[in-house]
mmCIF file of all heavy atoms in Angstrom:
data_model
loop_
_atom_site.group_PDB
_atom_site.id
_atom_site.type_symbol
_atom_site.label_atom_id
_atom_site.label_comp_id
_atom_site.label_asym_id
_atom_site.label_seq_id
_atom_site.Cartn_x
_atom_site.Cartn_y
_atom_site.Cartn_z
ATOM 1 N N LEU A 227 16.542 1.030 13.949
ATOM 2 C CA LEU A 227 16.433 2.010 12.869
ATOM 3 C C LEU A 227 17.802 2.707 12.771
ATOM 4 O O LEU A 227 18.250 3.333 13.740
ATOM 5 C CB LEU A 227 15.351 3.043 13.164
ATOM 6 C CG LEU A 227 13.920 2.822 12.700
ATOM 7 C CD1 LEU A 227 13.369 1.536 13.350
ATOM 8 C CD2 LEU A 227 13.024 3.954 13.030
ATOM 9 N N VAL A 228 18.433 2.556 11.615
ATOM 10 C CA VAL A 228 19.743 3.188 11.428
ATOM 11 C C VAL A 228 19.666 4.209 10.330
ATOM 12 O O VAL A 228 19.244 3.862 9.215
ATOM 13 C CB VAL A 228 20.811 2.110 11.050
ATOM 14 C CG1 VAL A 228 22.194 2.754 10.991
ATOM 15 C CG2 VAL A 228 20.856 0.999 12.094
ATOM 16 N N SER A 229 19.982 5.480 10.598
ATOM 17 C CA SER A 229 19.977 6.504 9.605
ATOM 18 C C SER A 229 21.365 6.617 8.996
ATOM 19 O O SER A 229 22.327 6.900 9.686
ATOM 20 C CB SER A 229 19.580 7.815 10.334
ATOM 21 O OG SER A 229 19.948 8.910 9.578
ATOM 22 N N VAL A 230 21.448 6.353 7.699
ATOM 23 C CA VAL A 230 22.768 6.216 7.024
ATOM 24 C C VAL A 230 22.842 7.193 5.837
ATOM 25 O O VAL A 230 21.914 7.341 5.069
ATOM 26 C CB VAL A 230 22.945 4.785 6.446
ATOM 27 C CG1 VAL A 230 24.357 4.574 5.974
ATOM 28 C CG2 VAL A 230 22.614 3.759 7.490
ATOM 29 N N THR A 231 24.023 7.850 5.703
ATOM 30 C CA THR A 231 24.227 8.743 4.565
ATOM 31 C C THR A 231 24.765 7.941 3.385
ATOM 32 O O THR A 231 25.072 6.766 3.511
ATOM 33 C CB THR A 231 25.242 9.869 4.883
ATOM 34 O OG1 THR A 231 26.545 9.259 5.060
ATOM 35 C CG2 THR A 231 24.868 10.611 6.175
ATOM 36 N N SER A 232 24.887 8.599 2.221
ATOM 37 C CA SER A 232 25.372 7.944 1.007
ATOM 38 C C SER A 232 26.790 7.451 1.156
ATOM 39 O O SER A 232 27.249 6.575 0.437
ATOM 40 C CB SER A 232 25.246 8.875 -0.195
ATOM 41 O OG SER A 232 25.911 10.066 0.074
ATOM 42 N N LYS A 233 27.552 8.068 2.122
ATOM 43 C CA LYS A 233 28.947 7.643 2.333
ATOM 44 C C LYS A 233 29.033 6.532 3.400
ATOM 45 O O LYS A 233 30.117 6.118 3.788
ATOM 46 C CB LYS A 233 29.771 8.827 2.766
ATOM 47 C CG LYS A 233 29.924 9.907 1.690
ATOM 48 C CD LYS A 233 30.795 11.032 2.140
ATOM 49 C CE LYS A 233 31.056 12.050 1.029
ATOM 50 N NZ LYS A 233 29.857 12.849 0.717
ATOM 51 N N GLY A 234 27.895 6.086 3.901
ATOM 52 C CA GLY A 234 27.886 4.999 4.889
ATOM 53 C C GLY A 234 28.109 5.480 6.318
ATOM 54 O O GLY A 234 28.451 4.684 7.181
ATOM 55 N N VAL A 235 27.848 6.778 6.545
ATOM 56 C CA VAL A 235 28.016 7.319 7.914
ATOM 57 C C VAL A 235 26.701 7.241 8.665
ATOM 58 O O VAL A 235 25.657 7.652 8.146
ATOM 59 C CB VAL A 235 28.489 8.811 7.849
ATOM 60 C CG1 VAL A 235 28.578 9.371 9.273
ATOM 61 C CG2 VAL A 235 29.809 8.937 7.136
ATOM 62 N N VAL A 236 26.704 6.655 9.855
ATOM 63 C CA VAL A 236 25.486 6.561 10.666
ATOM 64 C C VAL A 236 25.286 7.892 11.393
ATOM 65 O O VAL A 236 26.132 8.337 12.158
ATOM 66 C CB VAL A 236 25.613 5.394 11.693
ATOM 67 C CG1 VAL A 236 24.406 5.389 12.630
ATOM 68 C CG2 VAL A 236 25.718 4.066 10.964
ATOM 69 N N THR A 237 24.135 8.539 11.132
ATOM 70 C CA THR A 237 23.884 9.830 11.788
ATOM 71 C C THR A 237 22.995 9.741 13.029
ATOM 72 O O THR A 237 22.984 10.560 13.879
ATOM 73 C CB THR A 237 23.247 10.827 10.798
ATOM 74 O OG1 THR A 237 21.989 10.260 10.349
ATOM 75 C CG2 THR A 237 24.110 11.084 9.606
ATOM 76 N N CYS A 238 22.159 8.669 13.064
ATOM 77 C CA CYS A 238 21.376 8.463 14.263
ATOM 78 C C CYS A 238 20.817 7.050 14.285
ATOM 79 O O CYS A 238 20.801 6.343 13.258
ATOM 80 C CB CYS A 238 20.308 9.524 14.377
ATOM 81 S SG CYS A 238 18.632 9.111 14.046
#
Side-chain angles (χ1 to χ4, degrees):
L227 270 61
V228 184
S229 160
V230 189
T231 67
S232 55
K233 295 182 175 70
V235 177
V236 174
T237 59
C238 106

